[in-house]
Amino acid sequence: MPDNLVLIGFSGTGKSAVARSLSARLGWPLVDTDQAIVERFGKSIATVFRDDGEAVFRAAEREIVAKACAGRRQVISLGGGASVDLRSRALIKQGNFVVRLDASPETMLRRMRSSPGAEERPMLAGEEPLARIRRLLAERGEAYAIADIVVDTEGRTVEQVATAVIEALEQRGNWRQGNRERRCE
Ligand code: S3P
């Protein structure tokens, strides 16, 4: 099995909820980078962006990603912008099974709006939110392309998405095992 299971993707694709389910089902500890930042600063992400600025947030996120990727057999849920950073991206790709969760921009926005703290989400601030989501998705093409698989979350429950991820993880584990066996013959 790969060392860590890493969930990437834009806000509103269900990373945190799916990661909690995966952690419980696999019995692997959960690392949620956004949650780690909230604990480190003792305030919400929106407040970190407002008081300290995005650069301070991104530096903390980079450190937390590096620390998480040094561990193994964990479910790691990354903030939507974490794989934009090139150093983080390289670490995430190293020996981990990377899953991108996806949905339509409309669904992402609907889910973001119905989640707690929606009104203060930094990624919803400023320009028209749907246009902003589309622009960021286009800009982040390479950051999200590192995924080993993409799982569509549209119209699916958290448990259905978690099941799809576990099936893919098992197949990946078997594939690695198969490769090893073939090399020994
Ligand atoms: C961000 C996504 C957020 C959070 C921060 C920045 C982004 O995480 O890390 O607001 O740059 O897309 P979620 O993807 O968990 O919402």
Side-chain angles (χ1 to χ4, degrees):
M1 286 245 189
D3 281 336
N4 295 294
L5 176 51
V6 184
L7 298 186
I8 65 171
F10 205 78
S11 301
T13 52
K15 293 175 304 241
S16 297
V18 171
R20 277 194 298 275
S21 166
L22 287 167
S23 161
R25 287 170 66 172
L26 293 168
W28 290 7
L30 172 65
V31 179
D32 185 311
T33 60
D34 282 344
Q35 190 53 41
I37 289 172
V38 168
E39 282 162 20
R40 177 183 290 198
F41 287 88
K43 51 191 174 189
S44 73
I45 287 175
T47 313
V48 176
F49 266 74
R50 200 190 54 224
D51 293 355
D52 308 270
E54 180 168 355
V56 169
F57 170 86
R58 295 295 175 199
E61 185 175 54
R62 194 183 303 127
E63 267 182 41
I64 287 164
V65 169
K67 196 167 159 224
C69 288
R72 56 188 306 266
R73 291 168 75 84
Q74 310 161 102
V75 178
I76 304 174
S77 175
L78 296 182
S83 60
V84 172
D85 180 83
L86 290 176
R87 270 175 292 172
S88 296
R89 203 184 296 175
L91 287 177
I92 294 162
K93 277 171 27 184
Q94 264 170 30
N96 298 312
F97 188 55
V98 185
V99 178
R100 175 185 178 185
L101 299 187
D102 205 8
S104 68
E106 290 78 7
T107 298
M108 291 173 188
L109 180 59
R110 179 176 48 75
R111 291 181 185 155
M112 278 189 258
R113 282 187 164 148
S114 61
S115 66
E119 56 298 324
E120 52 165 16
R121 270 185 184 257
M123 291 300 127
L124 285 184
E127 69 194 272
E128 202 277 308
L130 211 46
R132 185 175 170 88
I133 293 171
R134 292 208 176 95
R135 180 175 60 77
L136 284 168
L137 283 172
E139 282 174 17
R140 291 178 179 180
E142 286 184 18
Y144 293 152
I146 60 169
D148 294 294
I149 60 158
V150 181
V151 177
D152 187 10
T153 65
E154 201 75 45
R156 296 166 101 177
T157 65
V158 168
E159 290 312 319
Q160 285 169 336
V161 173
T163 299
V165 173
I166 288 175
E167 281 170 7
L169 179 69
E170 282 169 355
Q171 269 175 20
R172 171 70 168 234
N174 292 341
W175 176 84
R176 285 193 159 189
Q177 184 80 26
N179 265 2
R180 253 202 309 277
E181 280 163 5
R182 269 197 298 279
R183 270 207 308 273
C184 295
E185 278 166 14

